[in-house]
Amino acid sequence: MPSPRKQHYTRIPSVDVVLRDNKFEALLDQYGHASVRDAIRGTLELLRQSLAEGDAVDVGLAAIFIQVKHALDLLMAASLKPVFNLTGTILHTNLGRAPLPDVAVKAMVAAAGTVNLEYDLKTGNRGQRDAHLEGWITRLTGAEAAIVVNNNAAAVLITLNTLALGKDAIVSRGELIEIGGAFRMPDIMQRAGCQLREVGTTNRTHARDFEAAIGPDTGVILKVHTSNYQVYGFTKSVSETGLADLAHGCDVPLVVDLGSGSLVDLERYGLPHETTVRETLENGADLVTFSGDKLLGGPQAGIIAGRADLIERIAKNPMKRAMRLDKITIAALGAVLRLYANPDRLCDHLPTLALLNRSAADIKAQAKRLRPIVATALKTVAKVDIKPSRCQIGSGSLPVDRLDSYTLTLTPRIENDVALRQLSASLRALPQPVICRISNGTVVLDLRALTDEKEFVAQLSLFTG
Ligand SMILES: *Cc1c(COP(=O)(O)O)cnc(C)c1O
């Protein structure tokens, strides 16, 4: 007598039998033999477990087919997908920072094929990939020259490595920043092969501190934008112009890592002032480094702008090859930079600026439109209220400034942590996941960055609390 367990097993068809069934032909054609075989194996294994646990399961080929197809669909779905950023942080690093404008998307598609990336169409000779961007960066910043790499961390790394390899990089103790993840200025300096010379104290650094540190081993003076914090109270730092005077007095370059770095005066859009790249260069910085996907509103990139002789040295650094931009990013960044040619229309075309510029009244009106719809969809799980909030720009841009916004605040009918987590998980499980934050026993949906209202509403019918 076979054991009951054995008996159950024998009812499950073998992988080969399933593979030979003609229902699976289309799957084999679409996904290939190995993937389908693995999916069948996985599915049969699950059935076997269910049977062993005494569950009633359908082991017919039709049922197996549905499970295998489901497993393959999951396997083949892209894991990177659009989400709604309702976190209240506009430039959210974990959510891909700046949403790109349509012109950039079109440019990326156009660049996907064969392009004149490093080919000079006039002469028929080899060209420079950065030439597609340099002219625009210099035009918009007043810099003599510019070069681009994969991100601002790379920009800082290659700049320090080029100017201060085996030498001192002098920086104020108050600016030895850590910016989320693994970007710590002291670590970057070490990897760049330069010696960190900290001067001053956490809250106060004087010109005389720099003077005392400058010597024959000095490679660079670095000023770092304190992107994600501010020191209040009894503070002192040396101005850019002051640092430039010191640096140039002893023939050392001044590098300013601006982090976000704006190309336009944000005040003209009613936003707080953020030092522009042009101002920083005018203040005497020899090189400025900044991100492409922060306030600039473009794709991930690091831009270095400033003195032509220094940019040329960076271009010759072998590291540049390992950090160069790809054609898709060059296309997108170029399209974004060209939008800056007309600052008056920038808000209409650049999503990042449009989001930052949205009026609180507009967001409130949206909240009023959405509240009853969301309340109906979530009727059994949560109560929905409109609350004013303060948005954060994010990614270390304008760290202490907040923008007035409005939220839909969801209070679960069952008031405990499990219900809260369940509610936010259900929102994340929607086809276009809704990413929100949890605060004071509520799930908070900040609406400032909700542009695609239609799509947001359309998928609410799929919400299953
Ligand atoms: C954001 C930031 C960086 C890193 O830039 P990425 O584009 O994220 O690589 C470096 N320095 C400062 C001051 C920053 O704010």
Side-chain angles (χ1 to χ4, degrees), residues 97 151-153 177 179 183 224-225 227 257 259-260 291 293-294:
R97 290 191 186 157
N151 48 44
N152 189 36
I177 57 166
I179 305 163
F183 188 88
V224 185
H225 189 277
S227 295
D257 174 21
S260 207
S291 293
D293 53 352
K294 293 184 179 174

